[in-house]
Amino acid sequence: MDPIYVSAGPGDAAIILDMMREYYPIEGAAFCPDVQGPALRALLADPALGRVYLVRQDEAIAGYVVLTFDYGLEAGGREMFIDELFIVERCRGLGLGTRVLEFVSGASRDLGGRALHLAVGFDNRRAREVYERHGFASTQREMMTLVLVDS
């Protein structure tokens, strides 16, 4: 059965935060609900920032994907960023991540996106292979980050 994608709203923050708590350690990121919680709630309340979709499989939550918006001259306009894509443990290895990528690529086009970006760990071979099969490619440039606010 194909997954169903549901636009998340403010009432979905708690279930998404529960999944984030599981996802962040996998990515080697620090989960700080006092930081990510308000950011998630702001995103859920303001569609100008992006979209959050719950992924449902067999009537249960199977994961979520966060799509945020940016604007870039190099791309010629609106750029999209897959900020987070998480599939719960029991649903991994079933091709669901690939189907989520297909969905979010189409949603990005429908929302006027000119490019779709994501970040992946250098050592996360499994995810890299999925992204490459979907058409993502390294730009031979590394994303660099300056943290402006201490968490």
Side-chain angles (χ1 to χ4, degrees):
M1 174 183 271
D2 285 336
I4 297 169
Y5 307 96
V6 179
S7 290
D12 297 309
I15 191 155
I16 296 167
L17 283 166
D18 283 344
M19 287 186 283
M20 290 170 72
R21 185 174 284 110
E22 183 179 345
Y23 171 61
Y24 276 48
I26 294 169
E27 287 295 313
F31 179 70
C32 303
D34 292 341
V35 173
Q36 286 92 26
L40 173 63
R41 288 193 236 347
L43 176 61
L44 291 170
D46 186 354
L49 298 175
R51 303 289 188 277
V52 180
Y53 299 99
L54 293 173
V55 181
R56 298 185 67 82
Q57 181 76 29
D58 298 326
E59 309 225 2
I61 300 291
Y64 71 97
V65 60
V66 176
L67 181 67
T68 58
F69 304 155
D70 196 4
Y71 191 90
L73 299 179
E74 188 175 334
R78 187 178 240 188
E79 296 180 275
M80 313 306 224
F81 194 90
I82 297 174
D83 186 56
E84 298 187 6
L85 191 167
F86 175 72
I87 304 298
V88 298
E89 177 80 33
R90 66 181 161 65
C91 295
R92 292 184 198 142
L94 304 174
L96 192 54
T98 297
R99 292 197 302 275
V100 171
L101 287 172
E102 291 166 358
F103 165 77
V104 81
S105 296
S108 296
R109 282 185 195 91
D110 293 346
L111 291 164
R114 308 264 312 171
L116 179 59
H117 307 284
L118 56 78
V120 60
F122 291 113
D123 59 345
N124 191 343
R125 287 188 52 200
R126 184 175 178 190
R128 284 173 118 23
E129 289 170 2
V130 170
Y131 298 144
E132 288 169 355
R133 279 196 309 270
H134 191 73
F136 285 88
S138 172
T139 61
Q140 300 304 310
R141 293 192 279 182
E142 180 179 352
M143 182 186 314
M144 298 175 70
T145 303
L146 171 64
V147 177
L148 301 174
V149 178
D150 293 330
S151 353

